[in-house]
Amino acid sequence: MTPSGSPREPSSQPTPDATRGPTAPPPPGTAREPTRTDRLLAALGGLLAGYVSLAVAELAAAAVRPEAGPVTAVGGAAIDLTPAAVKNWAIVAFGESDKIVLLLGILVVLAVLAVALGLLALRHRRAGAAGVLAFGVVGALAAVSRPDSDSATDALPSLAGAVAGALLLYVLIGRLLGPRPSAAPEAAVGAARRSFLVVAAGSAVAATGAAALGRTLGGTRAQDAVASRTALRLPPPASPAPAVPPGAQLPVPGISPFTTPNRDFYRVDTALVVPKVDAGGWRLRVHGLGVTRELRLTLDDLLGREVVERDITLACVSNEVGGPYVGNARWLGVRLADLLREAGVTPPSAGGPADQLVARSVDGMTIGTPVEQVMDGRDALLAFGMNGEPLPFDHGFPVRMLVPGLYGYVSACKWIEEIELTTFDSYDAYWVPRGWAAEAPVKTQSRIDTPRSFARPKPGAVMVAGVAWAQHRGIERVEVRIDEGPWRDARLGTEDSRDTWRQWSYPWEATSGRHTLTVRATDGTGQVQTERRTDTMPDGASGWHSVVVTVD
């Protein structure tokens, strides 16, 4: 009815309800509005594009060199850019698993970004594909900027992977949301999704095959290196190490063994992928300031020189007070000082112009060592044997450097391929710009191995024991304190040499309650280990190690 009460005339305008009915299709080429299922599939497409990118990149890296792969290159760049304090925290928190954690973190970040690019492509197809290409450029830049990169071809794996991933994402999203009417029948939508899944499944299978082929091809180089290590026969030493003296290994359960087995020897380095170097192709170059005769040596050249064998304890500067990053091994190699003299090098104390030796690894690591300490008569070695076998790959096969009395980051270059003589003023090795000291002699340290912290021994006789080290100075005394009581002398194991750690033990008559056990050492110069606690940066931790136990 109208306000006047007369009947309403039929209107020629459509009612609101009428507008909810079927509408005309949009212009040709207009994609339908994405649904929740479309978004899930787009996210899957992004993940798959990332997977294909990495698989193709790995295959390409096998043809270029495995270290040029995007994950390895980006991971290496991440390590280089990470603040030293964060690196140190990772070493303490994750131990030798720090690199696995980093790689997993990189893969998680890539997965999240791949999902985001898949969702972006659902709205902006070209932008999503361009995002994949952008990550390829990042990987390529990381690869060619690595210290061990010597060719622009290192960019190819990342770029090839990015192109493959971008094309796949573009195609997948096109299959998922091709041009069709908004009111497309369910059958058409289902057909589009089936087409997406078919392409996705085929791509996944192909990518898996590419990754497997890449690993196989890349493994060929590693297999050659493994074969060269297996075939290596170590020469008998012209100067053998004395037998470990009786009493060096104390009969105390829980104490660290005097000689650390290779499988248990600590590993701290920046290599995401352990270099596998073929011994037959390994070369060492010695050159630089003050060198009058440049040397280029093969492993056979070293094996043919006077070979020496020595027991030497190594310690990492990242080792916190009471930490695990110290170990003792029997090393076989040649004296580094002899090689330097052959090259015409003289130490600074004799008027030589170079005060720093920069060792370079095959992975680009640089380690700076004082020339004076290398040539002062200590057993600085280029080692190729460890505990009676060729160096394990984790520990530097085919050749590594070590200098007793210096922390590893300034002396123990693994996978060494070059030695350059220079000065500390003219060159900073890898760790120095990152906040670590250029020179770092090992500090006097001691550790309680048993009982462990928070142990619950029974009242009565408890053997407290551990190790102490001050390489190239030796350990003269170890003392133990119970709670705030007086310092008591511990029994020392027999000294093997001043370049090795020394075991100690102290019999404690434990009484019920909570107790703090503390240890300190005195080195061969009479210097008592300092109580002052310092962090590992910039030149190694200091302080007394303590454990808390409850006797009940």
Side-chain angles (χ1 to χ4, degrees), residues 60-443:
V64 177
R65 63 186 191 100
E67 296 80 6
V71 174
T72 302
V74 171
I79 290 175
D80 291 349
L81 295 173
T82 300
V86 177
K87 286 182 188 174
N88 209 45
W89 170 83
I91 291 171
V92 173
F94 303 114
E96 295 183 21
S97 299
D98 58 339
K99 298 167 189 66
I100 295 176
V101 172
L102 173 61
L103 288 173
L104 289 175
I106 290 173
L107 292 176
V108 168
V109 170
L110 288 176
V112 171
L113 293 173
V115 167
L117 289 175
L119 294 174
L120 173 64
L122 194 60
R123 294 288 186 180
H124 306 284
R125 191 173 164 198
R126 292 180 178 176
V132 177
L133 291 174
F135 279 102
V137 172
V138 171
L141 291 175
V144 297
S145 63
R146 300 301 301 139
D148 58 336
S149 175
D150 58 5
S151 172
T153 57
D154 283 351
L156 294 180
S158 293
L159 295 178
V163 170
L167 288 174
L168 177 62
L169 183 60
Y170 191 82
V171 169
L172 284 176
I173 298 302
R175 293 296 180 102
L176 184 61
L177 292 179
R180 50 189 178 270
S182 297
E186 287 299 319
V189 174
R193 290 173 179 168
R194 284 193 295 274
S195 176
F196 172 94
L197 292 173
V198 167
V199 174
S203 300
V205 171
T208 301
L213 179 59
R215 287 186 177 274
T216 300
L217 295 175
T220 301
R221 205 176 297 177
Q223 290 169 3
D224 292 342
V226 171
S228 72
R229 181 178 183 273
T230 302
L232 180 61
R233 296 294 177 263
L234 296 176
S239 174
V244 175
Q249 175 68 60
L250 298 179
V252 180
I255 198 171
S256 300
F258 178 77
T259 299
T260 309
N262 290 354
R263 66 179 179 278
D264 298 329
F265 208 96
Y266 76 91
R267 178 197 164 200
V268 177
D269 53 54
T270 63
L272 281 177
V273 177
V274 174
K276 297 288 198 305
V277 181
D278 187 336
W282 178 83
R283 299 291 184 271
L284 174 69
R285 181 187 178 204
V286 181
H287 67 107
L289 186 65
V291 171
T292 59
R293 180 190 172 200
E294 182 171 318
L295 302 180
R296 293 180 183 269
L297 304 168
T298 66
L299 182 57
D300 284 341
D301 291 332
L302 293 186
L303 296 174
R305 300 177 69 91
E306 181 186 21
V307 175
V308 300
E309 182 182 58
R310 296 291 184 266
D311 292 332
I312 298 172
T313 296
L314 294 186
C316 179
V317 73
S318 295
N319 198 41
E320 295 190 320
V321 172
Y325 302 125
V326 59
N328 185 61
R330 177 156 289 196
W331 307 91
L332 190 72
V334 299
R335 293 186 181 90
L336 179 54
D338 291 348
L339 284 178
L340 296 181
R341 291 189 187 97
E342 187 175 316
V345 177
T346 54
S349 59
D355 61 5
Q356 179 180 208
L357 176 160
V358 176
R360 288 188 173 84
S361 167
V362 298
D363 68 347
M365 170 58 66
T366 57
I367 287 180
T369 307
V371 173
E372 193 67 44
Q373 274 81 345
V374 171
M375 303 185 73
D376 67 359
R378 71 185 72 194
D379 288 313
L381 301 179
L382 287 178
F384 38 72
M386 181 180 182
N387 290 333
E389 63 178 86
L391 284 174
F393 288 106
D394 281 356
H395 296 293
F397 181 84
V399 179
R400 72 172 298 166
M401 192 175 112
L402 55 130
V403 182
L406 303 181
Y407 283 116
Y409 86 103
V410 292
S411 67
C413 183
K414 297 190 284 189
W415 315 292
I416 189 172
E417 67 173 3
E418 181 184 352
I419 293 174
E420 180 181 2
L421 280 298
T422 182
T423 65
F424 283 104
D425 288 340
S426 61
Y427 186 84
D428 285 337
Y430 179 89
W431 291 108
V432 176
R434 292 164 174 82
W436 298 89
E439 300 186 53
V442 171
K443 297 180 179 180

Side-chain angles (χ1 to χ4, degrees), residues 484-505:
E484 295 302 319
W487 288 101
R488 304 290 187 185
D489 282 334
R491 172 199 170 196
L492 290 177
T494 305
E495 182 182 69
D496 179 50
S497 82
R498 63 178 181 170
D499 290 336
T500 62
W501 59 13
R502 200 167 180 182
Q503 295 185 346
W504 59 267
S505 65

